[in-house]
């Protein structure tokens, strides 16, 4: 099912149909502010921010911290960034996440009173900026704060904070953050979700509907290659929730199948300790090496529960099928093989799902792919990925913002007329 065809009754989100053009300005002069949580790298949330800035190049940019290197600032147009007091705190460049208890206070100190239109890109606290009744605030939510809401217990376990004094301190802090975060929807006029999965999480946490606009995927940098080689590939930062160790363990148990692993992170040694001779770990690589393996690989393996998941779409842009854990955003970006013979999908299949994060489930999915995967074609994978281009994102995002701006102005004029 195409993302824009989702109904509110099914998913508690308001679909916004794409159009073929972009309206970049309106007749009414206005000042625009864009707020992002933190600027330390170029990842999925920053790709959305990059496109937002292209839609509104006149906007001023705010962020809790800005530690981007001088040669990594192209995606924000090398513009100046207004930062919070956290920028100047000790060891903030390396330990900015440790200042989570101060982030609600910090985001509220940004004085946005001079701006008419406020756009936030938020996976933590950016949507909590203070705005007034004469300001329109649209918030693109990558996710409600994961570690404060439904994933709190998972994060505490992964951080080794299950019991003891430090655990209680962490739980108290997260309780405080959750209470504060419950207040933030009051300052947002319109929520935007990056997937139906996140729209459901927004509705659960905030009791608000969200318009669905999938994030941009730069498929132009991942060209189609139809000829595949006899190896599987996975790529991710090696942190616990990515489950890279499960993928490696599963392939170690299948010595007749080759796996190439790309990525680095805190779990690298743990992953390497589980790798058999049929598993090759390349560590961190540049984009060209990653792209080359995505193009040549027989299939891309993905075991994380993600809010959206860009890597599986980059693989599909290369014409490569995906074997993925079938929960979260991937259910909206991968067309699975039919579960039964008489349940053919409306779109051509592009991958295989497994239903639990376990070695056995991954092995079963790989075996099914090798039995039935011939029905998945490189062209079908590529066509599916083309539904998520940056051009599509800019068109949908700008049209939504301009529509909400016109409605907001009309309501303001009506209220003013009533008081004359």
């Amino acid at each position: 099912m195409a993302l824009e065809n989702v109904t509110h009754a099914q998913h508690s989100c308001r679909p916004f149909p794409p159009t073929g053009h972009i309206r970049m300005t309106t007749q009414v002069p206005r000042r625009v502010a864009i707020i992002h949580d933190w600027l330390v790298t170029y990842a999925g949330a920053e790709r959305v921010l990059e496109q937002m800035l292209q839609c509104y190049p006149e906007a001023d940019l705010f962020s809790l911290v800005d530690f981007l290197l001088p040669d990594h600032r192209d995606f924000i147009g090398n513009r100046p960034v207004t930062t919070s007091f956290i920028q100047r705190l000790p060891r903030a460049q390396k330990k900015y996440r440790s200042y989570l208890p101060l982030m609600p206070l910090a985001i509220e100190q940004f004085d946005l009173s001079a701006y008419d239109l406020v756009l936030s890109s938020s996976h933590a606290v950016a949507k909590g900026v203070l705005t007034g009744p004469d300001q329109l605030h649209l918030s693109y939510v990558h996710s409600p704060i994961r570690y404060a809401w439904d994933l709190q217990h998972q994060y505490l376990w992964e951080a080794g904070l299950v019991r003891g004094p430090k655990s209680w301190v962490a739980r108290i802090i997260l309780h405080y953050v959750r209470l504060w975060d419950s207040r933030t929807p009051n300052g947002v006029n319109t929520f935007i979700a990056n997937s139906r999965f996140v729209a459901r999480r927004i509705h659960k946490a905030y009791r608000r509907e969200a318009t669905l606009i999938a994030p941009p995927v730069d498929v132009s940098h991942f060209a189609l290659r139809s000829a595949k080689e006899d190896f599987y590939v996975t790529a991710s930062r090696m942190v616990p929730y990515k489950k890279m160790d499960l993928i490696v363990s599963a392939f170690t148990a299948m010595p007749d199948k080759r796996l190439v692993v790309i990525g680095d992170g805190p779990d690298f040694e743990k992953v390497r300790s589980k790798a058999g001779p049929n598993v090759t770990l390349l560590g961190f690589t540049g984009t060209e090496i990653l792209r080359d393996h995505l193009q040549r690989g027989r299939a891309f393996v993905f075991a994380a529960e993600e809010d959206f998941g860009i890597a599986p779409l980059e693989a599909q842009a290369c014409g490569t099928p995906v074997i993925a854990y079938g929960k979260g955003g991937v259910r909206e970006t991968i067309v699975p093989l039919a579960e039964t013979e008489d349940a053919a999908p409306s779109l051509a299949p592009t991958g295989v799902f497994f239903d639990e994060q376990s070695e056995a489930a991954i092995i079963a999915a790989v075996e099914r792919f090798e039995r039935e995967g011939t029905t998945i074609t490189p062209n079908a994978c590529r066509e599916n990925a083309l539904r998520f281009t940056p051009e599509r994102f800019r068109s949908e995002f700008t049209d939504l913002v301009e529509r909400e701006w016109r409605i907001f102005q009309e309501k303001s004029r009506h209220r003013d007329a009533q008081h004359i």
Side-chain angles (χ1 to χ4, degrees):
M1 179 184 294
L3 296 185
E4 60 269 19
N5 293 330
V6 181
T7 64
H8 164 53
Q10 292 174 306
H11 301 288
S12 296
C13 64
R14 292 179 288 137
F16 190 75
T19 62
H21 62 282
I22 300 176
R23 291 187 296 274
M24 304 301 284
T25 60
T26 63
Q27 298 295 325
V28 181
R30 65 189 178 187
R31 291 194 64 190
V32 182
I34 295 180
I35 299 89
H36 191 65
D37 288 303
W38 46 74
L39 290 167
V40 296
T41 187
Y42 181 69
E46 287 70 38
R47 299 183 193 202
V48 170
L49 174 65
E50 178 181 27
Q51 300 302 319
M52 291 171 65
L53 289 168
Q54 289 190 30
C55 291
Y56 296 95
E58 76 277 17
D60 293 329
L61 181 57
F62 295 77
S63 179
L64 289 177
V65 297
D66 174 17
F67 294 117
L68 293 173
L69 297 175
D71 57 344
H72 291 169
R73 305 184 69 83
D74 289 350
F75 78 93
I76 63 168
N78 293 300
R79 70 186 67 217
V81 180
T82 300
T83 58
S84 73
F85 65 82
I86 294 178
Q87 178 86 16
R88 301 179 295 278
L89 294 180
R91 302 182 66 191
Q93 185 166 2
K94 297 292 185 182
K95 299 291 185 179
Y96 64 93
R97 292 178 185 271
S98 300
Y99 289 112
L100 173 66
L102 297 178
M103 288 181 181
L105 174 64
I107 205 72
E108 292 178 347
Q109 303 315 302
F110 286 136
D111 182 3
L112 304 181
S113 57
Y115 296 91
D116 307 297
L117 175 61
V118 177
L119 306 173
S120 58
S121 163
S122 182
H123 56 78
V125 299
K127 67 183 177 302
V129 291
L130 301 179
T131 55
D134 295 325
Q135 296 171 290
L136 177 63
H137 178 192
L138 287 84
S139 185
Y140 190 100
V141 176
H142 308 276
S143 172
I145 307 176
R146 299 178 183 91
Y147 31 85
W149 289 99
D150 52 313
L151 298 183
Q152 171 186 296
H153 300 292
Q154 176 182 328
Y155 274 83
L156 289 173
W157 181 82
E158 291 175 353
L161 295 171
V162 177
R163 57 180 60 87
K166 289 184 178 180
S167 174
W168 282 108
V169 170
R171 293 171 193 272
I172 291 170
I173 290 172
L174 292 176
H175 177 72
Y176 153 70
V177 170
R178 191 159 48 248
L179 290 176
W180 173 84
D181 197 45
S182 298
R183 191 278 306 164
T184 60
N186 295 330
V188 177
N189 297 82
T190 300
F191 276 98
I192 307 168
N194 64 0
S195 66
R196 295 191 298 265
F197 179 64
V198 168
R200 294 198 300 272
R201 297 185 71 226
I202 289 171
H203 190 266
K204 182 74 172 183
Y206 308 136
R207 290 296 185 261
R208 292 283 297 276
E209 296 179 14
T211 298
L212 178 61
I213 300 180
V217 180
D218 193 1
V219 297
S220 64
H221 282 80
F222 294 85
L224 173 67
R225 186 179 192 268
S226 297
K228 302 300 178 182
E229 300 177 19
D230 192 21
F231 70 89
Y232 293 82
V233 60
T234 186
S236 175
R237 178 164 169 75
M238 294 190 185
V239 292
Y241 88 94
K242 295 289 189 178
K243 306 297 182 182
M244 296 289 277
D245 56 326
L246 281 181
I247 298 173
V248 168
S249 295
F251 274 85
T252 297
M254 298 183 287
D256 59 323
K257 298 172 180 38
R258 290 179 53 220
L259 174 70
V260 175
V261 182
I262 297 174
D264 200 353
D267 278 3
F268 184 84
E269 291 303 323
K270 176 183 177 182
V271 172
R272 183 162 63 178
S273 69
K274 298 186 176 185
N278 61 318
V279 177
T280 302
L281 277 73
L282 299 184
F284 176 79
T285 68
T287 303
E288 290 189 8
I289 294 176
L290 169 63
R291 181 170 54 230
D292 174 65
H293 282 82
L294 289 180
Q295 290 172 327
R296 293 189 294 116
R298 184 174 182 180
F300 180 76
V301 187
F302 190 75
E305 179 184 338
E306 289 280 17
D307 299 318
F308 182 74
I310 288 178
L313 278 169
E314 291 175 340
Q316 290 175 80
C318 297
T320 302
V322 181
I323 300 170
Y325 176 49
K327 188 174 180 181
V330 296
R331 298 202 68 88
E332 303 164 45
T333 61
I334 298 169
V335 183
L337 287 173
E339 296 301 320
T340 61
E341 292 183 1
D342 59 349
S346 58
L347 298 174
T350 66
V352 175
F353 287 148
F354 51 93
D355 58 7
E356 65 178 31
Q357 292 171 310
S358 69
E359 293 177 30
I362 295 172
I363 291 171
V366 171
E367 291 174 346
R368 185 185 179 207
F369 172 76
E370 295 197 344
R371 288 194 312 270
E372 306 173 31
T374 54
T375 60
I376 301 175
T377 67
N379 284 334
C381 294
R382 175 73 179 180
E383 287 300 314
N384 187 54
L386 289 175
R387 297 190 294 131
F388 302 90
T389 63
E391 293 79 11
R392 182 272 322 160
F393 175 87
R394 293 196 298 270
S395 176
E396 292 185 22
F397 182 77
T398 309
D399 279 350
L400 174 61
V401 172
E402 297 306 325
R403 185 189 72 174
E404 294 296 317
W405 175 251
R406 288 193 301 273
I407 293 172
F408 183 75
Q409 286 185 302
E410 290 169 4
K411 289 182 177 179
S412 296
R413 285 194 294 267
H414 180 68
R415 285 193 298 267
D416 292 343
Q418 289 181 323
H419 288 86
I420 294 177

